[in-house]
Amino acid sequence: AFSVFADKHKRKEFFSSQILGALFHIILAIELVILGVFYNPEQPSSLLNVFLIVLPIFFTAQTWIVSLITIIAGTTFCILASAYKAPDIISYDIFSTVLSMVLSTIVLTYFARLRAESYLAKEKYKKQSRTDLLTGVLNKRSFELWCQKLLEERDVAEPCALAIFDLHNLKQTKDTYGHITGAKDTEID
């Protein structure tokens, strides 16, 4: 029961940190757009462009959230720049912002790929840590946790039984012929 509560608590904390992270980056993007357009309209802006490129590196939210922040911030900057910036600066700012958005997408794609590979590797090692290498069945610890979960979820009024069978005298095989033969005997094709 505690592990279920702890998992729910961790998910709530993770979700809360994702929301706070997204809000922080949205506020930062708004400030950079305002600074880039209104602080000195006669000069080209570069702060937002750097932010757009670096955002996927430091922000660990879901890919669509980072993409959305990048697109909205870049588009808003381009619209406001074309309305309020000096005419000779507009084309530079729009070009550099669009280029930054493209670079941000490339960086985001790369980091999303790294995260996916990391997740798949973690899942592979989790599975390996929970199963027997030769047979692929649950190891002792995982089997005990699985049984405990079944017992917690079952209807108490229903009868329950557990039977364990030694199907092929593995201990006797190992004692007589050695561990290598016993391991070969245990493998499931």
Side-chain angles (χ1 to χ4, degrees), residues 166 168-178 182 185:
D166 183 7
H168 49 54
N169 297 320
L170 182 61
K171 179 168 179 6
Q172 182 181 1
T173 303
K174 283 185 176 181
D175 291 344
T176 306
Y177 301 106
D185 191 31

Side-chain angles (χ1 to χ4, degrees), residues 99-113:
L99 181 63
S100 297
M101 290 169 68
V102 169
L103 290 173
S104 177
T105 303
I106 292 169
V107 170
L108 180 63
T109 304
Y110 176 73
F111 277 95
R113 184 173 153 246

Side-chain angles (χ1 to χ4, degrees), residues 44-55:
S45 177
S46 59
L47 285 175
L48 179 68
N49 300 333
V50 172
F51 171 76
L52 292 178
I53 295 170
V54 174
L55 176 65

Side-chain angles (χ1 to χ4, degrees), residues 111-182:
F111 277 95
R113 184 173 153 246
L114 286 178
R115 287 182 192 145
E117 288 174 359
S118 173
Y119 174 79
L120 292 174
K122 283 180 187 176
E123 289 302 310
K124 175 185 168 187
Y125 293 126
K126 256 191 223 178
K127 183 180 179 194
Q128 287 178 351
S129 73
R130 293 178 180 159
T131 57
D132 178 67
L133 185 62
L134 294 173
T135 62
V137 298
L138 293 176
N139 61 22
K140 182 180 183 289
R141 173 84 172 123
S142 297
F143 180 73
E144 288 172 352
L145 290 173
W146 180 71
C147 287
Q148 182 181 4
K149 181 180 173 190
L150 286 177
L151 288 173
E152 289 172 359
E153 292 175 355
R154 76 178 181 86
D155 184 10
V156 181
E158 294 288 321
C160 179
L162 173 66
I164 299 176
F165 298 96
D166 183 7
L167 298 177
H168 49 54
N169 297 320
L170 182 61
K171 179 168 179 6
Q172 182 181 1
T173 303
K174 283 185 176 181
D175 291 344
T176 306
Y177 301 106
H179 286 279
I180 295 173
T181 304

Side-chain angles (χ1 to χ4, degrees), residues 4-81:
V4 172
F5 174 75
D7 287 345
K8 286 180 183 177
H9 187 65
K10 284 180 188 176
R11 277 185 260 151
K12 269 186 175 179
E13 284 181 5
F14 179 74
F15 184 68
S16 299
S17 66
Q18 290 289 313
I19 290 174
L20 289 174
L23 287 174
F24 171 76
H25 284 89
I26 290 168
I27 291 169
L28 186 61
I30 291 169
E31 289 178 4
L32 291 175
V33 166
I34 291 170
L35 279 174
V37 174
F38 298 112
Y39 179 68
N40 195 351
E42 303 299 324
Q43 295 293 320
S45 177
S46 59
L47 285 175
L48 179 68
N49 300 333
V50 172
F51 171 76
L52 292 178
I53 295 170
V54 174
L55 176 65
I57 297 172
F58 295 111
F59 194 29
T60 59
Q62 295 175 353
T63 305
W64 69 271
I65 294 174
V66 179
S67 298
L68 189 65
I69 292 172
T70 302
I71 291 168
I72 291 173
T75 305
T76 304
F77 178 79
C78 289
I79 292 169
L80 289 175

